[in-house]
């Protein structure tokens, strides 16, 4: 099953100074290649799905791909079954995951990606839902999905938009690192990869590689967090035996 898996998990949709997906368009084009002609977009993380689809369509058409938005389909399940590639964009992760549950899409997407091998591109919330659960999202629970369990395309969690502590800040709330460590105080919690803005993870079969212009911070339960630069091989995270520590 892992041999079929192809994922591009991007931390953020827009990087300061650039346009929508501008910082990762080369990686997206290289990842999708020439065989893919149509991309199925799932805009459920934002409220105005028409406007969101328009933005995504303009970008993907500029890259040479036709984009179809699932919210325009009369049969979302069938749209997934016929898709050549899937892109899930950012927004509110709780809203997104609830929509995937409400439309019975989790198993369908999982089958298309893990068994049929179609490419999956996620950005921000779309990256969150590709993992074990959305427990390490940065978003507010504005709606309630039936479960926090997500697509499980990889056996670990990701924290997109990872922010390093600002030593000069007077803010007294928890840092992102502290919140992830709190998550790991609970038993049987998987690794968390903190992707800084500008970073992305390329997964091809059983190989995972950090890409982009910034690094990442890896949190393993019971261990000190470690820093990693672009080019780091994270393939070991794809082994289920490394996904949880009691």
């Amino acid at each position: 099953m892992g041999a079929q898996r192809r994922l591009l998990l991007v931390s953020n949709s827009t990087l300061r100074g650039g346009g929508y997906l501008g910082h990762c368009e080369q990686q997206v084009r290289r990842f999708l290649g020439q065989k893919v002609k149509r991309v199925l977009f799932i805009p459920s993380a934002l409220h105005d799905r028409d406007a969101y689809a328009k933005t995504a369509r303009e970008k993907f058409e500029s890259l040479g791909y036709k984009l179809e938005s699932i919210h325009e389909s009369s049969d979302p399940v069938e749209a997934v079954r016929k898709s050549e590639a899937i892109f899930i964009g950012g927004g509110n992760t709780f809203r997104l995951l609830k929509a995937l549950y409400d439309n019975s899409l989790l198993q369908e997407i999982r089958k298309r990606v893990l068994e049929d091998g179609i490419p999956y591109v996620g950005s921000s919330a779309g990256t969150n839902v590709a993992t074990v659960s959305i427990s390490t999202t940065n978003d507010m629970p504005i709606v309630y999905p039936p479960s926090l369990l997500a697509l499980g395309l990889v056996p670990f969690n990701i924290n997109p938009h990872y922010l390093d502590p600002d030593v000069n800040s007077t803010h007294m709330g928890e840092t992102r690192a502290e919140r992830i460590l709190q998550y790991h105080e609970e038993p049987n919690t998987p690794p968390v990869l903190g992707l800084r803005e500008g970073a992305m993870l390329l997964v091809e079969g059983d190989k995972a590689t950090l890409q982009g212009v910034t690094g990442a911070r890896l949190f393993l339960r019971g261990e000190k967090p470690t820093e990693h630069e672009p080019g780091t091989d994270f393939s070991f995270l794809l082994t289920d035996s490394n996904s949880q520590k009691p």
Side-chain angles (χ1 to χ4, degrees):
M1 182 169 63
Q4 297 288 336
R5 172 176 48 192
R6 297 192 66 238
L7 319 171
L8 183 63
L9 305 178
V10 185
S11 177
N12 52 303
S13 301
T14 306
L15 193 63
R16 183 177 181 180
Y20 183 71
L21 299 180
H23 67 291
C24 60
E25 63 179 36
Q26 292 184 1
Q27 289 90 341
V28 170
R29 184 188 283 116
R30 186 163 53 243
F31 176 70
L32 293 177
Q34 297 181 350
K35 290 184 178 181
V36 171
K37 305 299 181 184
R38 296 180 296 107
V39 175
L40 179 65
F41 178 48
I42 301 181
S44 307
L46 290 185
H47 178 70
D48 190 343
R49 296 171 185 181
D50 288 337
Y52 201 5
K54 181 177 183 292
T55 298
R57 184 172 286 119
E58 289 173 353
K59 170 52 67 173
F60 276 83
E61 286 182 351
S62 75
L63 298 178
Y65 304 100
K66 181 179 179 181
L67 184 135
E68 301 171 349
S69 184
I70 200 168
H71 83 290
E72 299 167 346
S73 172
S74 59
D75 189 341
V77 169
E78 188 65 18
V80 170
R81 289 174 178 172
K82 292 181 177 179
S83 60
E84 297 179 12
I86 293 173
F87 170 51
I88 303 185
N92 185 278
T93 312
F94 291 90
R95 174 187 280 150
L96 170 59
L97 185 60
K98 184 177 186 298
L100 296 181
Y101 273 105
D102 289 350
N103 290 282
S104 302
L105 296 180
L106 275 87
Q107 289 294 343
E108 298 294 338
I109 295 173
R110 191 178 290 122
K111 178 181 182 299
R112 290 294 285 142
V113 175
L114 296 182
E115 296 180 24
D116 300 336
I118 71 165
Y120 176 100
V121 180
S123 176
S124 189
T127 288
N128 268 134
V129 297
T131 67
V132 174
S133 75
I134 66 167
S135 298
T136 54
T137 180
N138 305 309
D139 299 329
M140 293 183 179
I142 60 174
V143 295
Y144 298 101
S147 169
L148 298 183
L149 294 178
L151 288 166
L153 304 179
V154 292
F156 55 91
N157 275 3
I158 287 177
N159 176 245
H161 308 274
Y162 179 78
L163 282 173
D164 294 293
D166 182 357
V167 295
N168 297 315
S169 175
T170 58
H171 178 65
M172 297 303 293
E174 297 98 333
T175 65
R176 194 70 56 81
E178 288 170 337
R179 290 178 176 176
I180 295 173
L181 292 174
Q182 289 171 356
Y183 170 68
H184 276 153
E185 290 172 350
E186 297 300 317
N188 301 314
T189 44
V192 178
L193 186 62
L195 285 181
R196 294 183 177 89
E197 293 194 347
M200 63 203 79
L201 188 71
L202 174 66
V203 179
E204 295 181 306
D206 293 323
K207 184 174 179 60
T209 308
L210 184 64
Q211 296 189 344
V213 296
T214 56
R217 199 172 200 196
L218 178 62
F219 297 79
L220 301 177
R221 189 173 189 271
E223 298 184 15
K224 185 177 179 180
T226 52
E227 288 292 328
H228 301 273
E229 297 299 319
T232 298
D233 185 347
F234 279 121
S235 302
F236 69 94
L237 290 177
L238 300 175
T239 304
D240 287 328
S241 60
N242 290 330
S243 65
Q244 295 183 349
K245 292 192 175 186

